[in-house]
Amino acid sequence: MKSNEIFTKTMPFVWAKLLLGLATILCSIVIFAVLMGVAWLFNNDGVSGIMLLIWLSATGTIQFFFMHYIGYLLKAGHIAVIVEAVTTGNIPSNQVEYGKGKVKERFVTSNVYFAIDKLVSGAVRQLQNVLEKAGNTLGFVPGMDTVVKIGKMFIGISLGYIDECCLGYTFYKKDQGEFKSAADGVVIYAQNWKRLLKDAAKTTITVIILIAMIILVTFLGFGLVFRLLNWNGFVAFLLACFVAAAVKSAFIDSYMMVKMMTSYMEVAPSTNITFDLYGKMCEMSSKFKDLWNKAEKENPTLEHVKDQSVNAEGSAEEKPVFCGACGAKNRGGTKFCGSCGKPI
């Protein structure tokens, strides 16, 4: 099933995300009206300033609860349905209930999901930082600073959805623990980053244009209405920000997530995991190391996997070996090519 078809057929999740965002905005408006009513009664600029600060704080709290708690679980259900669609070609009839059931079945409690989500997100961000540092080494080249900044922006947008892909792999690998599946998901991302980045490039430009259009239409719309009614321009600006963020989260983020997860799940099942990447990635990312440590607690027999990777990489006495598939040079004792991931 193609990504555009999956996005269209999983619209119930998209509309649910939009309704969640609009509910957040509605709560914020109600609180604003109440607090501004209190400020009007006192008719004092100082009180108005205090009420505005309280409103901003309350809005942030509501935003966190709705979007970072309910929204995360809603996104997890969407991910479960996308994985089912890519791997089987079928969309469950009651997909919202199906996604909800899969999240409960896989993670037992929301706390487990949040723990894995944060560790995977942190590991992916740290790996992206490694790519950015590699780009900074070219800063001495005239005009390269601009290229590097554009590259960082592109990587940040295009790979910002990889953590969802890694979490999606946990729904696919039902035969092992959640933390181990998530760790495998990150390794698969690392092995296929060229393919994923290439696929992301085809979508990122379209997404940037759509985001710009949403921001332009939303801000012009609210600005025009508030100007005609002679209402507060600052309030119009804040509401435009909230609405634009809600629309982006519901439609643009969901579209990009479906596109990236489709590309990821097309290569993940057939990827032969390079075992010596576990040790390397534990050194590169503290978050991945935490994820792996939790995977070891799930299954103590995994300890030898990381040891194997460290021993294979650290044996200086063995001669280097070359991959028969791509010709890359690897350390002696390596079982899988560090470049293409194929057995040596």
Side-chain angles (χ1 to χ4, degrees):
M1 191 177 291
K2 300 298 182 181
S3 58
N4 288 339
E5 185 180 1
I6 295 174
F7 176 72
T8 303
K9 290 187 175 182
T10 58
M11 285 299 290
F13 283 99
V14 178
W15 291 117
K17 292 175 185 177
L18 180 61
L19 289 175
L20 186 63
L22 294 179
T24 304
I25 296 172
L26 181 60
C27 290
S28 180
I29 292 174
V30 171
I31 293 175
F32 179 81
V34 171
L35 293 176
M36 288 302 102
V38 173
W40 177 79
L41 289 175
F42 283 92
N43 192 25
N44 183 284
D45 291 339
V47 174
S48 297
I50 294 173
M51 292 299 104
L52 183 60
L53 290 175
I54 294 175
W55 175 68
L56 290 173
S57 177
T59 298
T61 302
I62 293 172
Q63 180 81 8
F64 177 83
F65 176 77
F66 274 94
M67 304 307 293
H68 291 272
Y69 186 77
I70 300 176
Y72 271 170
L73 297 179
L74 184 63
K75 180 179 70 174
H78 196 183
I79 289 172
V81 173
I82 294 170
V83 171
E84 181 72 11
V86 177
T87 55
T88 68
N90 298 316
I91 298 287
S93 55
N94 192 339
Q95 52 186 281
V96 175
E97 284 299 317
Y98 173 87
K100 181 181 177 181
K102 285 296 179 182
V103 173
K104 287 183 177 180
E105 174 188 320
R106 193 64 174 119
F107 297 105
V108 183
T109 68
S110 58
N111 290 334
V112 176
Y113 169 74
F114 287 129
I116 293 177
D117 181 70
K118 288 182 179 180
L119 288 174
V120 170
S121 299
V124 171
R125 298 298 178 273
Q126 288 177 338
L127 293 175
Q128 287 178 210
N129 290 337
V130 173
L131 294 176
E132 291 180 1
K133 289 178 181 179
N136 289 336
T137 60
L138 300 175
F140 66 91
V141 179
M144 188 56 67
D145 285 344
T146 303
V147 175
V148 170
K149 288 179 181 178
I150 294 174
K152 287 182 179 180
M153 181 187 70
F154 171 74
I155 290 174
I157 295 174
S158 61
L159 298 186
Y161 304 86
I162 293 297
D163 49 342
E164 283 88 350
C165 297
C166 299
L167 285 168
Y169 191 73
T170 65
F171 289 106
Y172 175 73
K173 293 296 288 184
K174 305 172 186 177
D175 57 340
Q176 59 185 16
E178 296 87 351
F179 289 97
K180 175 61 167 58
S181 297
D184 288 348
V186 178
V187 171
I188 290 172
Y189 150 59
Q191 286 185 229
N192 294 281
W193 70 270
K194 291 181 181 180
R195 157 73 188 273
L196 295 174
L197 190 61
K198 181 180 177 181
D199 290 345
K202 301 175 183 177
T203 308
T204 301
I205 296 176
T206 303
V207 168
I208 292 175
I209 294 173
L210 290 174
I211 291 174
M213 291 175 59
I214 289 173
I215 292 175
L216 181 64
V217 171
T218 305
F219 276 73
L220 285 178
F222 275 93
L224 181 61
V225 171
F226 273 63
R227 188 62 176 260
L228 291 175
L229 297 175
N230 197 28
W231 290 352
N232 191 297
F234 178 68
V235 176
F237 173 78
L238 289 178
L239 285 176
C241 288
F242 292 151
V243 172
V247 174
K248 173 186 174 294
S249 175
F251 290 93
I252 305 301
D253 289 355
S254 295
Y255 177 73
M256 190 69 174
M257 184 178 75
V258 170
K259 296 286 285 188
M260 290 303 301
M261 281 197 64
T262 302
S263 298
Y264 181 89
M265 291 308 302
E266 286 176 349
V267 299
S270 59
T271 299
N272 293 318
I273 294 179
T274 304
F275 287 99
D276 55 332
L277 267 181
Y278 289 118
K280 291 179 181 178
M281 293 182 66
C282 283
E283 294 176 359
M284 293 169 59
S285 169
S286 60
K287 294 295 184 181
F288 182 84
K289 187 175 181 180
D290 290 342
L291 184 64
W292 181 256
N293 289 337
K294 291 183 181 296
E296 287 180 342
K297 290 181 180 179
E298 285 181 330
N299 185 0
T301 61
L302 292 175
E303 181 63 33
H304 76 280
V305 175
K306 188 174 70 173
D307 290 342
Q308 173 187 345
S309 70
V310 173
N311 292 335
E313 183 181 1
S315 180
E317 297 180 358
E318 296 183 13
K319 295 181 179 180
V321 292
F322 295 87
C323 176
C326 67
K329 182 179 179 181
N330 295 270
R331 292 180 181 274
T334 302
K335 304 299 181 183
F336 295 85
C337 177
S339 178
C340 68
K342 294 184 178 180
I344 296 178

